[in-house]
Amino acid sequence: QMHRYARRHAHAPRAASAAIGLPTPAAMRPLFPFLLLWHLAGVGAHEGASHGAPAEAEHGPASAWPPPPTASDMAPSSQATTAPASGAAARPPTSDDLVKFYSEQGFIGAGNDLEVLEDATVDEAVAACTHFPTCTGFTFQVSNDSSSTYKIFLKAHDAQVSQSDAWLSYLKVGVVLPPVANFTVGDLELELRDGSFTAQVLRRKNANFSFVEPLQNTTALPLCQRLGDLNLRVKPSSATGYWATFTSSAGVLIQAETMSVEGEAGDADGVTYTKGDKLYRVLAAHDITALLNATEAQPYPLPLQVVRFWEEVKEAGARDAALVLRFNITNVSGEQVTLGGVGFPMPQAGDTAELITAVWNDPHVGMHHGFVEWVRIVEDEDTLVATSEELTTPLEAWRPVLEDCNCKDFWEWTAVSGAWSEDWANNQQYPFLNISQNLQNTGIWSAGADSPWPAWHNSEVVRTPVTNWNEPSVVTLAPQQTVSFAVRLQLAPDGPRTRDDVLEANDKVVFHAVPGYVLASDMRNATLFAKLPAGVGLDEITTIPANCVSVHHIRAGDLRSSEDRDAYTVFGVSCGVGAEGTCRVSFTLSDGSIATVHYFVTPEVFHKQVQNLGNHWADVSWLPYEYPDPFGRSASVMPWDREDGVHVIDDSRAYDVGLSDDAGAGNNLGFGTKVLCRVVRDGMLVVAAVVTTGRRGLMNSGEFHAHTAPGGKGGRLHSLHAARCKA
């Protein structure tokens, strides 16, 4: 089924079939998307039609190679923030402005072939690779003669060059142009990218960081998703089979159609409109239909028109304005169209070269009252909050954007998730519907694997539970019907501790759970505090599964009270008999919105769950002192593979199987904490072994044994620990 991702447009002028607009036979080959273990397939270079090691030969004259991109080509947008003067007749960027190629001596490994051009020039390969959004470069073997044509392999996904004098490779990189527009909304600064008008930078005014990753050469290529992009799953009523998938990130090299946002004569504020007590001002509007239609391998053109708006909104009496990202989607076909997926990428700056600019985001997948929160992890902890601006735009799912060009660790606000839910039920996610051909060729994984994602051990694949945060939905549009999706982006005034103030100001339910959202199955006295929006009542409470927890009303909140805690409506939460696992509690409000919270109920009563965990660490995942580990990890708690029933000793993720980083150290720290607060003699002896012999030993062996040996001072140590727990 992967061929749906791989339809190729004719482009090679040297081929007769291409000359009349038909795809060449090679163009019909499926492209199997890049997976995490690409290197398992990319172990060799091309040698003619084979995939063996490259033969050594003299390369062409170095002077013929285009030079690598300069620093100005690569500069992140934070260094290029000057927008064209208002009214300037700037030329829209072309594909030549937005991508460049630079050469490296060597080959790109076998696999991930997008196309093979027989007897082609470098210029033809550049044109072909520019044309395909998924092409990241090309490679070819040079010859000793004066020939200017070669057999050239166009490559998809992460192209890595290995040294060889017999081969040349050209890598495609994006070019970062200065932003085409700059808006200040409240204390937020938004810079829009030239061409696609997505967010190039989004930051606090005059700050030296961006909440979203600043545009760079590695993220400026097609299929690199930005804030302001849109992902759609679509199915017209006449269509059968799989959902068509469209992403505006495919159209980076296409100029979005600018729509006028000027107001009537003399209206300096441009287009404005009101909804209730909210005043909206349109900052920029663009028809992005052509960008979405640039998506390859879809069975039909997009039957919709999509217009994106960047807006400013301000409520009466509000201190600051907020930024709104809106998409108006209109069915322009003559038949009914169903939307099975509507999602807005929510990228984060993530890890950056300097800690001072690092930003991470997290969601509360709470339907209409959900939110996404970006927090700068150092300095003043600047915090940005995204909330739903329309009833059409719940945070229904938080989908990993696996199809992003760089396989970045970021997610999308999924307002409509019905089509994605169908994928997840089959342990897959478009475009990853099966193990790639490259990985099948290794002989380790087969086409009939249970999922498209290889696991870390042997021939296993990743298996995910069939779980939805919220009930999946679809949206059906009649001909000429329009639906509007919108999210609001607003700074918390004083960092993450004022996030709830933003939620409350935007009429969202503010929840706090005591003791938290993980409950023991014997717990009958948990509490949920909910501050409801002013003027909004509670119509219904439902739980799924029905017997998971019961929620009963204790006290109504009083928003007029001077005490903040009195403003919360209080609910008691009790676990049902035999309850276990994930539980969703939905609150239906009088304004038609739904707020959800999610609990996890442990399979055992509290003291038994703690005991089970301690027994596992002490008796199962404990690596004995006698184990001949070359890294000295014996006498410690190691990761345990519960499916295979073995210790995990070797893993490419060193922090999992080492003893001094988060995951590895966490097992031993967790076990020590368990023994500290629920002491058992065997557990104390195991902790003693960790401290005295694990790795290099954490304290003097003889001194510690004197305090823990039977008949010694162990009782006093036992009493000390018990007293700490009791306190």
Side-chain angles (χ1 to χ4, degrees), residues 551-712:
V551 180
H552 58 278
H553 186 272
I554 296 179
R555 189 197 71 201
D558 183 3
L559 296 177
R560 297 168 298 179
S561 173
S562 59
E563 294 289 337
D564 182 65
R565 71 180 190 179
D566 292 339
Y568 284 84
T569 298
V570 183
F571 299 94
V573 180
S574 300
C575 296
V577 177
E580 178 182 345
T582 303
C583 180
R584 180 171 73 240
V585 182
S586 298
F587 298 81
T588 303
L589 306 184
S590 59
D591 62 357
S593 67
I594 297 174
T596 60
V597 295
H598 303 86
Y599 284 96
F600 183 85
V601 180
T602 65
E604 299 269 16
V605 297
F606 180 74
H607 76 275
K608 183 65 173 176
Q609 186 72 22
V610 174
Q611 179 182 328
N612 290 345
L613 184 59
N615 290 343
H616 169 77
W617 276 329
D619 301 331
V620 178
S621 59
W622 173 254
L623 192 67
Y625 174 77
E626 297 80 13
Y627 187 87
D629 183 63
F631 301 103
R633 293 170 298 177
S634 57
S636 66
V637 182
M638 291 294 292
W640 181 261
D641 188 323
R642 62 184 176 190
E643 292 181 351
D644 292 345
V646 296
H647 287 100
V648 180
I649 301 297
D650 301 314
D651 195 289
S652 61
R653 300 163 294 182
Y655 53 82
D656 273 342
V657 295
L659 299 183
S660 60
D661 208 337
D662 41 26
N667 287 320
N668 295 279
L669 179 60
F671 182 59
T673 304
K674 183 269 170 192
V675 172
L676 175 67
C677 291
R678 188 168 287 273
V679 184
V680 293
R681 180 181 180 280
D682 290 349
M684 283 297 297
L685 295 177
V686 171
V687 170
V690 173
V691 174
T692 57
T693 61
R695 196 60 178 116
R696 296 182 179 87
L698 303 181
M699 58 191 298
N700 180 272
S701 174
E703 177 184 353
F704 193 80
H705 276 298
H707 287 275
T708 58

Side-chain angles (χ1 to χ4, degrees), residues 61-141:
S63 60
W65 300 2
T70 64
S72 60
D73 293 329
M74 300 291 201
S77 60
S78 58
Q79 300 177 20
T81 57
T82 305
S86 176
R91 175 183 64 83
T94 66
S95 59
D96 291 338
D97 299 321
L98 297 174
V99 297
K100 291 187 181 299
F101 290 80
Y102 70 97
S103 63
E104 287 191 18
Q105 182 179 337
F107 62 88
I108 301 173
N112 289 323
D113 285 349
L114 178 64
E115 194 75 68
V116 180
L117 306 180
E118 302 285 350
D119 198 27
T121 66
V122 170
D123 287 343
E124 289 170 345
V126 166
C129 193
T130 300
H131 175 74
F132 290 133
T134 48
C135 183
T136 57
F138 56 90
T139 190
F140 58 93
Q141 189 172 17

